[in-house]
Amino acid sequence: MLENASTVLVIGTGFLGSALVDLFAKNRWTVHAASYSGGDNEVACDLGDESSVAALASEFGQVDVVIHCASSGRGKGIEGYRAVYRDGTAHLAKHFPHSHLIYTSSSSVYGQVNGEVVSEESETSPIAETSEVLLEAEANIIHSHGTALR
């Protein structure tokens, strides 16, 4: 799937995103990075704003892989989740149609809270509205032939 890939765009450069940027760079990929506020060697991008994602696609052109590992931001509640996850994945699918999209989701989509064993075959039964939004984001990615990771 990614054997011939050589360019990656990592969106969200917290703990995971920063590690991915370093890993891909170390393996000689061309690496681009974006975050909500931008910064050193990063472009600013608000995933919830389609024009911002369109500008990101225009700036970097075709990339082989786009990895969404952005967070919703503290204190933004359910609307922040919808903007970053549900809407953000839909915007990425629209503006990076030829890129392999990878979305880092959460095991909270399973909803098991009583010590049950959870695997990828377990039923998703989120107990929180935010986890339902994460499932919607996963569906956006899977519909675009991408990969959702938990």
Side-chain angles (χ1 to χ4, degrees), residues 38-49:
D40 295 338
N41 302 314
E42 298 176 356
V43 172
C45 180
D46 178 354
L47 289 172
D49 176 12

Side-chain angles (χ1 to χ4, degrees), residues 110-133:
Y110 293 114
Q112 288 81 352
V113 295
N114 295 314
E116 301 94 332
V117 173
V118 176
S119 72
E120 290 191 23
E121 288 79 36
S122 298
E123 179 183 350
T124 55
S125 54
I127 58 175
E129 188 176 17
T130 51
S131 298
E132 291 174 7
V133 172

Side-chain angles (χ1 to χ4, degrees), residues 8 14-16 20 22 27 33 37-39 54 57 62 69-70 91 101 109 111 128:
V8 62
F15 180 79
L16 178 60
L20 289 171
D22 292 345
N27 284 285
S37 58
Q62 181 60 40
C69 52
H91 297 154
L101 303 180
V109 300

